[in-house]
Amino acid sequence: MRLILTIISGSAFIFYGLLILVSNHMKLEFKRYQMERFRTLVGYLEFAGGAGLLIGLTYHPLMLISSLGLALLMLMGTITRIRVRDPLLETIPAFILMLINSYLFLSEII
């Protein structure tokens, strides 16, 4: 189960990290969030975190750092979605990814 969640989460973050960096739609979304100055940073953090999860399958310290960082990033993403009053269906993915990465982090330290 943990392997599947790691692969899904890692792949999703690599994909969305790249999307944030190159997509005009994501540029507009970050502008709507009033966080356009953080777009590039978030894109790189998501990409690096996703890659870190996948590499962390064999190098566990990287799994700890990546899963915790992505869980915190998705906590902030969930708060941002709530702050801008996005519909629940648009907020749920960030919340679920926060839960998945929190689980991955906790399963590494327990």
Side-chain angles (χ1 to χ4, degrees), residues 54-70:
L54 298 178
I55 297 166
L57 288 169
T58 58
Y59 183 67
H60 295 283
L62 194 53
M63 173 69 76
L64 273 171
I65 295 165
S66 298
S67 58
L68 178 61
L70 290 171

Side-chain angles (χ1 to χ4, degrees), residues 75-91:
L75 172 62
M76 298 308 295
T78 300
I79 291 169
T80 298
R81 293 274 190 179
I82 292 168
R83 182 180 59 85
V84 299
R85 292 185 166 80
D86 273 352
L88 184 60
L89 283 176
E90 292 180 21
T91 305

